[in-house]
Structures are given as structure tokens and as C-alpha cells.
Amino acid sequence: MTGSGAYASFSGSVPHVLARALVNAALLAAASAALLLPLARAGRAPAELRLWLGGSALAVVTGLHFFGHYYLQLVPPLALLAARALHRRPPGARAGALRATAGLAALFVLWGLLAPRPDTDHAVRLAHAVRDRTAPGERVLVWTMHPETYWLAGRPPASRYLTAGLLTNHSGGRSGARTGEPYAVPGTWHVFRAETAADPPHLLVDDSRGGDWSPRHLPTLRALLAERYRPAGTVDGARLYVLRDR
């Protein structure tokens, strides 16, 4: 909470942040569309439900990132408030709201099943490449924002930092205006250098794919690659490097 104040900074990202907040709020509203009118007519709710909803809303706002999954914590208090509201409606109106809500739920489930998953597919392909180029137990470093690559590959990470986030302040909730070594959590690069020097990873994967957190913007990582590693090909846009003595 105190180590990376830049994580919550709006600097250079106001339109990006506001768009994310509005889009995800609109998705929640769409999922609850059939319940909004009964909620509006329900009158004053019990204090504990209002406190729960308010606390959840505060948690969504905290950090000013507005990721979609943050909004999930609004669902339980909204569900209880909606049940209270529907209980006071006539049977016909109650049945109509429930049918509409069931239809919306089916649409969201269908969307979840059929929507493409490019990031997951990329992580799977990259994990296969990592597994093919290393032996079980060999440590690897995947410069990524998708730590599941380690698990999918079945290889141990060479650093405690499973993503580039703490080392660069890169985040999906920002435009990249405050990304780089100067915005890292203090002390992280010292720890990172010690970890990679003591037991260098057998394989280093640059999965930034030209992003604002790529090695070309990071002197420490760029120097590590130049001094100890040689290129070993690309996979789906990610660059692979192996130790020079291998």
C-alpha cells in the first residue's frame, strides 16, 4: 500500500481509467437490468446491507484501477437487496424480473464459454516452448504479466517476482505513462539482481512483445540479456534467450 504510490496515480491515464470504470460498471448494470427498477422502488434498505454495499463500492474504487473482477464484490449485497425488493413486488412482476434475469445470466454464461481467450492460448503455446527447451527443475525467468506460464510449463521461477508489475509499475489499468524502473517498488531491483546473479535462469523469456515494460526500456534487464544470454528464437511474438555457456 505504501511501497508503490505510482500504482494509484492517475497521471497520464485519466481517459483510460474512466473508460474502464464506465465499461465495467455498464456490464454490471446490464447483468442487473431486470432488477434496477425494483431496487429503485424498494425504499430504504437495512443499515447492514447499505454498509455492505458501500464498503464494496469503496473497495472497487480503491487503487483507481477498476478491473472487471473488482465489481464482483458488489454482487452479493446487490443480490440480497434485489431479493428484498422483489419480495415486495406483485407475483407477476416478480416472475417477469426473474425470467429476464435468468435470460441475462444465460447470455453472460454463453459469452464466457464462446469468447476467444488470446492471452490464455498464448500462455499455453509459450509454456510448451519453455518445457521443450528446459529440463524439469531448471529455473526459468518469464518476463510477463501472465504468471500462469510457469505453472503450465511445470518449471520453477528464477525470481520471487512472477510478473513485471512490481518491477515496472506496469498495470492493465493504466496507459503506461508511469512505467519503468524509476516507478518500481523500492528495493525490488536490488532483490531481482541478487536472485538472478546467484542462480541465473537457464532460460529467459521476454514476453513483453514490444510493450512499455519491455527490456529496451529497462537498463538492468537489458544489461542482463547482453552480458549473459544469447537469442534462442521466438514463439508467438515472445523472445527466448538461453545462457551463453549452454
Side-chain angles (χ1 to χ4, degrees), residues 3-161:
S4 183
Y7 184 79
S9 172
F10 258 132
S11 178
S13 299
V14 173
H16 185 86
V17 172
L18 291 179
R20 179 184 290 270
L22 292 173
V23 167
N24 286 324
L27 284 171
L28 179 61
S32 312
L35 306 174
L36 294 180
L37 185 59
L39 279 171
R41 293 178 173 177
R44 191 176 180 84
E48 59 269 25
L49 287 182
R50 288 186 279 116
L51 286 172
W52 188 359
L53 184 64
S56 298
L58 180 62
V60 171
V61 174
T62 300
L64 305 175
H65 279 252
F66 301 103
F67 293 118
H69 58 277
Y70 286 11
Y71 288 78
L72 292 175
Q73 58 200 316
L74 292 170
V75 173
L78 282 175
L80 292 177
L81 288 166
R84 174 179 176 273
L86 289 177
H87 182 69
R88 301 182 174 196
R89 300 291 292 164
R94 187 161 58 231
L98 291 174
R99 283 194 296 269
T101 300
L104 287 167
L107 286 176
F108 272 86
V109 169
L110 190 63
W111 181 20
L113 291 173
L114 299 181
R117 297 175 173 81
D119 288 336
T120 300
D121 295 340
H122 170 79
V124 169
R125 288 190 289 268
L126 194 56
H128 286 314
V130 170
R131 195 161 54 240
D132 291 342
R133 289 167 171 79
T134 56
E138 288 186 334
R139 301 189 337 144
V140 300
L141 176 66
V142 184
W143 191 249
T144 184
M145 293 300 293
H146 299 282
E148 62 270 24
T149 303
Y150 291 109
W151 175 73
L152 291 167
R155 300 293 183 264
S159 170
R160 71 193 67 193
Y161 304 117

Side-chain angles (χ1 to χ4, degrees), residues 171-209:
S171 169
R174 291 293 184 269
S175 64
R178 295 174 66 84
T179 299
E181 290 190 34
Y183 306 108
V185 174
T188 50
W189 281 101
H190 172 76
V191 174
F192 178 82
R193 283 190 290 266
E195 289 176 328
T196 53
D199 187 5
H202 291 79
L203 180 70
L204 195 155
V205 181
D206 169 20
D207 193 28
S208 61
R209 289 174 276 173

